[in-house]
Amino acid sequence: MTTRGQTQQFDKALFKASVEKHLVTTYAKTPETADSRSWYLAVGKALAEISTGSLLETEKQIAEQNVRSVNYLSLEFLIGRLTGNNLISMGLYEEVSAAVEELGLNLTDLLEEERDPALGNGGLGRLAACFMDSLAAQEYPAVGYGLHYEYGLFSQSFEGGHQVEVPDAWRGIEGYPWEVVRPELGQTVGLFGSVETYTDKAGTSCRRWVPAMTVEGVAWDLPIVGYDNKSVYPLRLWECRSPAPFNLARFNDGDYVGAQYGQLEAGNVTKVLYPNDNHDQGKTLRLMQQYFHCACSVADILRRHFAAGNKIEDLAKLESIQLNDTHPTIAIPELMRILIDEHKLGWDAAWAISSKVFAYTNHTLLPEALERWSESLIADMLPRHMEIIFEINHRFMTLVEEKWPGNNEIKRKLSIIEEGQQRMVRMANLCVVSTYAVNGVAALHSELVKRDLFPEFNELFPGRLHNVTNGVTPRRWLKFCNPGLTELVNEKIGTEWPAKLEQLSGLAKFAEDKKFQKRYLAVKKDNKQRFADWVQDNMGIELDTNAIFDVQIKRLHEYKRQHLNLLHILSLYHRLLNEPTFDMHPRVFIFAAKAAPGYALAKDIIFAINKVADKVNNDPRLGGKLKVVFVPDYRVSLAEIIIPAADVSEQISTAGLEASGTGNMKLALNGALTIGTMDGANVEIREEVGDENIFIFGLLVDEVLKQKEEGHDPYRYYHADSLLRASLDLLNTDEFTPGNPGQLSAIRQNLLDGGDPYLVLADFADYVKAHEKIDAEYRDQATWARKTILNTALVGKFSSDRSIRDYVNNIWKLKAVSVK
Ligand code: RUG
């Protein structure tokens, strides 16, 4: 089989033969008995055969060149379906489409057979996937390290409007065709036990960990295919297995189930992804997942380092380890433990290496998301690591004492160990103290990290805090998901933009061109139709593509304020029924969101939106002006059809609380106009597209802080604003839950009596005004066309290729390696 690239040719006959071979030998189907899923699996396997060869070759060439690389450690990689995207990167989309057609198949249908590998919760995991794509596209040597969860993020369905969660067995029974197991890379990981002192041969007293149990890490590689080049990087996912499947003594005693107990327990470690986004749950099994992930990954990094003939002293020269949030922080004491206990380095020598290897990305300021682990839990599960954390803190406290002599207040604030009834380890503090670079994920967020979260650290370690604004891969989020727009863009500015997104600015000069405007709007209309067909087929709701498609797709969280959107919908409902002179352009409000299973208010909001949808979608009095659609089971593949169909992008978090957002970038890239607060990357989107091409509303960060300090009084807004009052009061009636008044009142109560912690009521009036502006401007299609074209044209900055270059230049200092 040949591979992609300029000089080599794709051999259609060989490829077809490979597909048929896999159909028979791997999936036990004949062309006559095979269903669409089997064909998809066989096509996936035939393609994976090509990419696995390239992956091994890339590994070999990078090892031979012995260059510096980055290791991206993340508990989540929300990669989405691989087949379509990899075909684009391999440059084989058309060829494979033609090949499968000769087999009597349709490629688009086959791609629909792939289940999304949902190995992440939301933005943080999706960012990691975009970053891997951009590393491979630009050939910056990298390995992604994650976990091979048996169950990804739950599938969501609705029963009577309520969210129901179902486990997500993303690999199916047949396994995922793109992954390959690498038994030779297996690792053994210790847990629990004690620390002992011993005297080594030189007579030195040493410490070492004696774990009480071990588990095995099995490596699975997924190929990250470089766009338009020959590099394929591994996304290495660790699966936990029990080393001894049977306790033979118990087995022989007839205790068959008990004999397999160890296996059941070890299997649990990577059984399921924790379904929390921006929220720390503090469960023991989660700490076990984190340590298992870190231990396997650090050991694999060292294996590669030594296999290339390097010395331990050169580790920081050749490897950087990026911690995606604090979730992999335990890698820091793990590396220190290995350097000191196994490689016999003194503390200072070990620290000199370790503190130059790690860098940390902060993704949130929300206190409930900043991880803290109980000291006793760490001491129990990882006793040697706890000793090392104490030592790091002890030395750090000496530094603090030097800088602020006698200031116990500052010591208490900065200490890695939080004092209290139960002492806790603050993982973010451990990260800032132990890494050479810390970054926020958007300009505003990074400023707030410096100003509000870590001001003293910034004084202590000048230059350590950076900003790297997030980005999204243009390959998946334009070229693959929006073929209509891709064709139009190609025609105007050529075909290099997927690797050089800044070139999109070349479209700006067509923003006023009537012919181009018409074609751009026609593409949008086609995309709206594609999504409307999906909704009709899957939800039985008919949508009018002349309506404004207004989209809010993201995790359900109070700070993201889906309930502000809901209140606006209720206000429109109220006005349509009660204000005879009120008119509006037809609008479809589209939601998609999963709520963490234990997050009651988030689930109440989903229920309320579903109930309002039931009513408004069938109320003839509204004359079809208002529709609400809550698309179930939000996932990457759904985003791929919603985003190209969006006219309006809702980015309405309370200012200061959304670190960046990346959906905002994808939607703007695909020509949706943002209605948003001055939060996260919205601020930079506004800078790029211009104030006239975005709808900004709401309190600014400092106004939010001031209002909170002074005491936010929700009733003040309630009494002063009759539209707000009418909208909120609808939640107390049985208008949307006939015969059951009060079923939606938890939301109203939270906003009025619960203090409205996210200032929904404070921003309501301004939000309504911004929507009125949208309504007016949409009616003037030429104006709207200009604005939407300019959004696509002016957001080139938000390519994840640029984010990766920022990391490479300012933090990782890598050189690209072109694979031959
Ligand atoms: O909430 C943030 C988003 O604003 C951001 O765009 C994304 C990627 O940087 O990360 C999200 N996030 C933060 N997810 N989990 C956390 C905290 O653990």
Side-chain angles (χ1 to χ4, degrees), residues 228-247:
D228 203 21
N229 63 43
K230 295 197 177 72
S231 289
V232 175
Y233 290 170
L235 171 55
R236 189 154 293 157
L237 304 179
W238 299 103
E239 181 195 350
C240 188
R241 291 194 189 162
S242 168
F246 290 98
N247 175 329

Side-chain angles (χ1 to χ4, degrees), residues 72 76 121-128 131 276-280 286 324-327 361-366 368-371 440-442 445 468 470 555 559-560 657-665 679-681 807:
Y72 201 82
E76 305 186 14
N121 275 286
L124 174 140
R126 183 55 233 173
L127 185 77
F131 280 2
N276 302 308
D277 185 81
N278 259 301
H279 191 90
D280 169 31
R286 167 74 173 181
N324 194 27
D325 212 305
T326 54
H327 313 155
T361 304
N362 173 284
H363 294 267
T364 190
L365 303 174
L366 293 182
E368 66 268 30
L370 292 174
E371 286 188 301
V441 288
H445 170 66
V468 180
N470 283 344
R555 283 295 288 242
Y559 87 82
K560 295 179 189 278
L657 299 186
E658 187 70 272
S660 163
T662 44
N664 46 2
M665 301 167 184
D679 200 17
Y807 278 102

Side-chain angles (χ1 to χ4, degrees), residues 782-801:
T783 303
W784 191 268
R786 174 167 46 78
K787 292 183 180 220
T788 171
I789 293 167
L790 285 174
N791 265 263
T792 300
L794 299 176
V795 294
K797 167 178 172 182
F798 302 104
S799 167
S800 47
D801 294 349

Side-chain angles (χ1 to χ4, degrees), residues 179-195:
E179 66 184 0
V180 54
V181 68
R182 306 281 304 268
E184 76 281 12
L185 305 183
Q187 296 292 346
T188 301
V189 176
L191 288 163
F192 302 102
S194 54
V195 182

Side-chain angles (χ1 to χ4, degrees), residues 546-657:
N546 291 312
I548 302 172
F549 280 21
D550 183 317
V551 166
Q552 188 171 21
I553 44 173
K554 49 184 77 246
R555 283 295 288 242
L556 206 309
H557 205 298
E558 285 166 271
Y559 87 82
K560 295 179 189 278
R561 300 200 295 191
Q562 280 92 350
H563 47 346
L564 175 57
N565 192 341
L566 173 65
L567 278 183
H568 172 240
I569 295 170
L570 292 175
S571 77
L572 294 175
Y573 177 80
H574 173 80
R575 295 175 83 175
L576 283 169
L577 296 183
N578 296 287
E579 275 181 34
T581 56
F582 180 71
D583 187 28
M584 63 179 276
H585 188 87
R587 188 89 75 114
V588 181
F589 290 94
I590 296 151
F591 292 87
K594 289 180 181 174
Y599 191 170
L601 190 63
K603 290 178 138 182
D604 286 340
I605 294 170
I606 291 181
F607 177 66
I609 296 171
N610 274 328
K611 284 292 154 191
V612 170
D614 282 351
K615 172 82 178 151
V616 304
N617 293 347
N618 301 298
D619 191 334
R621 296 173 303 166
L622 302 175
K625 297 244 153 147
L626 196 54
K627 289 252 160 127
V628 179
V629 178
F630 205 125
V631 183
D633 203 27
Y634 183 49
R635 55 194 185 276
V636 172
S637 59
L638 265 182
E640 287 162 4
I641 58 172
I642 299 175
I643 288 170
D647 294 310
V648 173
S649 158
E650 299 269 353
Q651 307 301 335
I652 59 176
S653 50
T654 318
L657 299 186

Side-chain angles (χ1 to χ4, degrees), residues 55 126 178 218 240 270 352 400 478 499 543 590 593 671 679 698 737:
L55 184 144
R126 183 55 233 173
W178 284 98
V218 176
C240 188
T270 50
V400 176
L478 185 51
L543 301 181
I590 296 151
D679 200 17
T737 54

